[in-house]
Amino acid sequence: MYSSQLLTIEQARQLLGRVGVEVPGNMPPQAVFASLDGLLEGVPDRVVAAAVNTGAEVRFGAQAGITVPPMSPLNYAYNVSVEGRTRLSDVETGAGLQETQTFRASVQLQQDDRVALERTMLNRIYRLSEYADHLPAGMREPLQQARDRIDANPALRTLARGAPVSFVHTESEGSRLTYEAVVSPELGQRLAAGDTTALPNPLDPLAMPVGSSVLVRGQDLRGSSTEVGYKFGIAGVSDTRLDGTGFGIRRLEGSTVEIYSGPMDAIENSAYLGLGRRDIASVRLEVENSVEERRLSVARVDLATPEGQTAYRQFLESGRVPDAVAPGITQVGQSTELSIEQARRLGLYLGSASVAFDNSVNQQVTVGNLGGRDEIRFNYSREGMVATESTYPLGSDGRPDVSQGQFRVVLPNVGPNEAGAMRAAFGGPLSPRGLDNTQPVELNFDSAQLMELRERSRSYLAGRPNGAELLATIDAGRPLGIESRDPLVRMAGARDAQQVFGVMQNQPQDIPGVLSRLNLGIPPDQRRPLPGTLDIQPSAAMRESLANRSESERTEIMDRFYRFPAGGAQARSLAPAGADLAAVAPATVTPGQAPDAPAPGTPATAPTPQTTTPGAAAATPAESPAATAPVVASPTDAAAPAGPALTSRDHPDHALFAALRDRIPASVPDDQVARITQQTKQADITPNRLEQVVADRNDPNQLWVVGTIPGFRTRVDLSQPAPPLEQTSADLLRPSAQEPQSQTRPPQQQEPTHAFAR
């Protein structure tokens, strides 16, 4: 039986109201947000500052109930309780090297049926008499006399001493309301200081910072727990089942927000060992596990349009997510998410309050078709060590296509020597110049590039003494002994890109050394930059310095020290807080201007020399610096080499072509879409990072292709002629088509405003 069947919503509201929490009866999103705002505004800032501590969880609550029979060691109790929790995570570094913190607050109302064998007040007073010698004389003699009378009666003595063990079993039912917000570290500092106005406000979504989000869950719960104690040792286990619904908002770039809602069910269990007295004071070591499944309807809404504003308002009032693309609704789809969290926690518990510090591992599997693309995404993070993401398209059989995967690894704390060695492996300087004590680093690969790392691992091992014998042992699957711990040995034995990626995910501390060995351990005449891309986050002081420099100076410094190949994901790091990200977006070539010529009024710069080691393999597309404007071949160019067309699944860029074709009106011919594909690829926007295609409000012939990473975008002029699709398909297959082009920028670029409906 659910708590909603035991208590009316009005009764629940009244009970929560006694502790300052007002929850509307129908609990639509708009009302929930308003009640949360009222709760936070009603709490003094000093109380919030005391409750919100970075990296810590704080609990507080109140309860009331009846125990039958009272003062008995064996008893039954019925309790009604309210418990609140708040937690502000440490700063986490994720995709695109974006730093965020997660604030969680929950209010839980539950009723408990409890059976216990435990110490009573009589037992505690009897034990106190053992310390009578330390009491004042006026208390010492009466207490000793009472103890002597009890000891003279064997039955009374047994009752007064109590059982040497305690046992408590509880069955619970209730409801939980959870608020979760992802914010920037700057807003996290304000929250930690007690400033609740720093929380994102979904009632004013365009005021929410880009990348911030809010998630609210309302769930019924059923659970049980068992606790035992012996002297000062305590232990316990618990299991909780939650089912209900949730909804959320995520602010994207421009005027777009993503909204979602649907069923959210979870299982939580925990176990602990500790020292102290339960419900009085104790120190505990806990292990907690939770599994949550979300089945969501998702839509992206353009709030720059009246239709989008109407759809968003309806979502706030009813929680309903649009189910079809329409004016103002750029994308719709379904998503199923499975999240697994494992946490180890050391906590101090004083009554119903506690402070605990934990270390957690989070995993999430998402299967979705937003925008009509079926894909599966795996996310994994170990707090303070690594965050990874791998995405695969789903084939017609519903299985992931590992050969077309996209992979990301983020290392949040890399020292200057390790970061210098990593950038040397990707073609940059080896020294730690320009690096901080620690900095986040992001690596991106596709399946082919990871398999190339495998081949390089095998080449490296082959050059070692007895290398051929070692490779034969690896291929035969025979035991390797201590060699099996070497990540290069594991990579050399990987069967596919997913297994190569697994080595990096499971041994993140070894990644800098592995990449350095694959670079410096290769003979100089065979050495070439590693495949994939590397982005290093500049220090805060360097970002401030870069913000005060000219664009050409910023680009030169970033390409020299922080992103390899040139033009990586760090464009967003160049903008000061609150700056327009379009100012550092990937550049486009002015129509009618030669690709290698500087923009009007821009001083010419010498191109970076490109060298090729004799006998070295040609660079793959992702090994070469990302250019932001393609060189469009004219109809008189030399005939292209034969190869699959972009419309064929055999072409390596077919997925990007298909994703763009799906978003661009049918009136735009395939030749133009192929040209847009080439330009989008050179802007370093991959299929899984494609956000939307929008038209310029002032010129419908100007299209913007916008990536999910802030600052990743490119502009296309549809009035310019496009080469035949076959020509562009072949150009994309040629290694020379991937060489960096000179990047220039028109004097001013406007934000995209109108999204195409599919």
Side-chain angles (χ1 to χ4, degrees):
M1 180 178 293
Y2 293 103
S3 61
S4 57
Q5 296 172 299
L6 298 171
L7 297 171
T8 68
I9 189 63
E10 187 60 31
Q11 290 172 325
R13 289 174 61 195
Q14 291 175 0
L15 187 56
L16 287 172
R18 294 172 187 171
V19 293
V21 181
E22 299 296 336
V23 178
N26 55 4
M27 211 169 67
Q30 187 174 19
V32 171
F33 290 133
S35 66
L36 287 172
D37 290 342
L39 168 64
L40 294 171
E41 290 172 2
V43 178
D45 288 349
R46 61 182 182 275
V47 175
V48 177
V52 179
N53 294 279
T54 302
E57 179 182 83
V58 178
R59 304 183 188 185
F60 48 92
Q63 68 176 21
I66 295 177
T67 302
V68 180
M71 302 295 291
S72 170
L74 181 62
N75 60 72
Y76 164 80
Y78 175 84
N79 296 318
V80 177
S81 63
V82 175
E83 180 186 63
R85 298 188 186 188
T86 64
R87 185 179 192 277
L88 180 64
S89 73
D90 293 319
V91 176
E92 301 169 347
T93 305
L97 296 181
Q98 290 187 330
E99 295 180 333
T100 61
Q101 289 182 267
T102 302
F103 172 79
R104 293 186 178 93
S106 66
V107 177
Q108 182 168 305
L109 165 70
Q110 68 183 53
Q111 63 91 14
D112 302 325
D113 293 285
R114 177 177 171 275
V115 177
L117 174 64
E118 57 188 345
R119 292 186 182 277
T120 66
M121 184 60 68
L122 176 63
N123 302 144
R124 296 188 176 98
I125 295 174
Y126 181 81
R127 291 294 183 186
L128 182 64
S129 67
E130 296 176 357
Y131 306 96
D133 293 341
H134 302 284
L135 297 176
M139 296 179 59
R140 187 187 312 150
E141 186 174 346
L143 192 61
Q144 187 60 48
Q145 291 175 354
R147 180 184 175 94
D148 292 342
R149 292 192 185 96
I150 292 174
D151 288 342
N153 187 322
L156 191 59
R157 183 175 66 247
T158 300
L159 181 64
R161 285 181 175 179
V165 299
S166 61
F167 172 85
V168 177
H169 179 77
T170 305
E171 295 286 336
S172 304
E173 292 185 341
S175 301
R176 180 188 296 174
L177 176 66
T178 306
Y179 173 93
E180 182 176 307
V182 176
V183 299
S184 66
E186 292 77 16
L187 295 182
Q189 291 178 359
R190 290 172 54 190
L191 281 173
D195 182 5
T196 58
T197 62
L199 289 172
N201 181 11
L203 298 180
D204 187 10
L206 293 182
M208 293 172 58
V210 173
S212 64
S213 64
V214 170
L215 169 65
V216 174
R217 305 180 188 89
Q219 297 169 304
D220 288 323
L221 69 87
R222 290 180 297 173
S224 64
S225 64
T226 301
E227 298 175 293
V228 296
Y230 179 73
K231 294 186 176 179
F232 285 98
I234 54 176
V237 295
S238 66
D239 179 81
T240 303
R241 308 296 173 103
L242 299 130
D243 56 272
T245 60
F247 48 86
I249 297 97
R250 183 166 67 98
R251 172 72 193 280
L252 305 179
E253 282 195 343
S255 57
T256 301
V257 295
E258 183 175 274
I259 57 177
Y260 53 90
S261 71
M264 297 185 182
D265 304 329
I267 299 174
E268 300 174 350
N269 56 67
S270 66
Y272 75 84
L273 292 172
L275 295 173
R277 294 294 188 188
R278 185 184 55 82
D279 294 337
I280 299 177
S282 63
V283 176
R284 305 180 193 175
L285 178 63
E286 290 184 275
V287 177
E288 293 188 356
N289 301 293
S290 66
V291 179
E292 182 177 58
E293 182 185 25
R294 306 175 186 174
R295 301 179 299 279
L296 305 175
S297 298
V298 187
R300 291 183 176 175
V301 179
D302 183 2
L303 295 179
T305 65
E307 296 86 354
Q309 295 171 11
T310 299
Y312 188 78
R313 188 163 51 249
Q314 291 175 347
F315 169 73
L316 290 181
E317 293 172 353
S318 67
R320 190 183 70 82
V321 176
D323 56 6
V325 172
I329 313 298
T330 59
Q331 293 183 34
V332 298
Q334 302 293 319
S335 175
T336 300
E337 300 177 2
L338 182 66
S339 298
I340 303 171
E341 181 174 356
Q342 301 168 303
R344 293 177 177 85
R345 178 176 291 113
L346 179 63
L348 172 64
Y349 294 79
L350 300 172
S352 60
S354 68
V355 177
F357 296 87
D358 59 22
N359 180 272
S360 61
V361 174
N362 296 280
Q363 303 178 67
Q364 182 171 302
V365 181
T366 304
V367 180
N369 66 344
L370 185 63
R373 304 184 310 279
D374 293 327
E375 65 178 26
I376 184 169
R377 183 175 68 253
F378 299 89
N379 293 89
Y380 172 90
S381 66
R382 250 192 291 174
E383 192 169 357
M385 292 194 65
V386 67
T388 67
E389 179 181 286
S390 55
T391 306
Y392 311 91
L394 294 177
S396 57
D397 58 354
R399 302 172 68 88
D401 185 354
V402 179
S403 66
Q404 299 295 319
Q406 299 288 331
F407 306 87
R408 176 186 292 117
V409 180
V410 176
L411 305 176
N413 300 296
V414 180
N417 294 325
E418 292 82 2
M422 292 175 71
R423 70 182 178 187
F426 284 85
L430 177 61
S431 73
R433 181 182 176 188
L435 299 175
D436 209 347
N437 291 332
T438 60
Q439 47 266 306
V441 168
E442 179 178 303
L443 297 160
N444 284 276
F445 306 95
D446 59 26
S447 294
Q449 291 162 350
L450 287 179
M451 293 306 291
E452 183 176 341
L453 284 182
R454 172 189 182 273
E455 294 307 313
R456 293 200 186 190
S457 300
R458 295 179 68 87
S459 298
Y460 174 85
L461 295 177
R464 293 169 49 180
N466 302 320
E469 180 181 346
L470 176 60
L471 288 175
T473 302
I474 293 172
D475 294 340
R478 294 193 295 269
L480 291 169
I482 195 171
E483 292 277 9
S484 64
R485 301 179 183 178
D486 188 340
L488 278 179
V489 171
R490 295 184 175 183
M491 291 172 68
R495 293 189 298 272
D496 54 33
Q498 190 174 28
Q499 292 189 0
V500 177
F501 183 68
V503 176
M504 294 185 174
Q505 176 174 284
N506 296 326
Q507 298 179 251
Q509 70 279 3
D510 295 324
I511 291 178
V514 166
L515 299 181
S516 180
R517 290 162 67 189
L518 291 180
N519 176 45
L520 300 178
I522 301 296
D525 61 335
Q526 301 176 19
R527 195 175 298 161
R528 65 187 188 277
L530 295 180
T533 64
L534 169 71
D535 290 277
I536 303 174
Q537 173 82 300
S539 66
M542 176 59 73
R543 292 199 297 272
E544 183 177 353
S545 174
L546 290 171
N548 296 322
R549 295 174 180 265
S550 67
E551 182 180 342
S552 60
E553 289 177 319
R554 293 198 301 263
T555 300
E556 179 183 358
I557 292 173
M558 291 298 297
D559 288 347
R560 185 177 179 183
F561 295 106
Y562 299 109
R563 56 190 182 199
F564 307 91
Q570 284 301 309
R572 49 140 184 88
S573 297
L574 306 182
D580 183 1
L581 288 172
V584 292
T588 57
V589 172
T590 303
Q593 180 181 336
D596 289 327
T602 304
T605 57
T608 303
Q610 301 294 319
T611 59
T612 304
T613 303
T620 62
E623 286 181 293
S624 306
T628 57
V631 177
V632 179
S634 66
T636 59
D637 284 345
L646 280 166
T647 52
S648 169
R649 291 182 178 273
D650 295 332
H651 196 287
D653 297 310
H654 169 75
L656 181 57
F657 173 87
L660 289 165
R661 176 74 280 180
D662 195 45
R663 288 167 170 75
I664 297 173
S667 58
V668 178
D670 284 349
D671 291 347
Q672 282 284 12
V673 178
R675 172 179 165 238
I676 297 171
T677 301
Q678 184 182 29
Q679 185 164 332
T680 300
K681 180 176 180 179
Q682 292 177 330
D684 204 26
I685 300 174
T686 57
N688 65 312
R689 293 181 182 174
L690 179 61
E691 180 84 20
Q692 58 182 337
V693 179
V694 295
D696 192 287
R697 70 168 69 182
N698 298 319
D699 186 358
N701 286 324
Q702 300 287 330
L703 298 187
W704 287 81
V705 180
V706 182
T708 56
I709 298 176
F712 273 44
R713 66 184 74 185
T714 188
R715 187 172 64 180
V716 183
D717 188 358
L718 294 181
S719 65
Q720 298 296 312
L725 180 142
E726 295 77 8
Q727 174 72 42
T728 307
S729 300
D731 287 343
L732 286 167
L733 295 172
R734 280 202 298 256
S736 60
Q738 306 303 328
E739 293 178 0
Q741 310 295 329
S742 299
Q743 297 185 12
T744 60
R745 176 179 301 284
Q748 182 178 2
Q749 292 184 350
Q750 298 175 341
E751 288 289 328
T753 55
H754 300 296
F756 285 121
R758 289 182 49 239

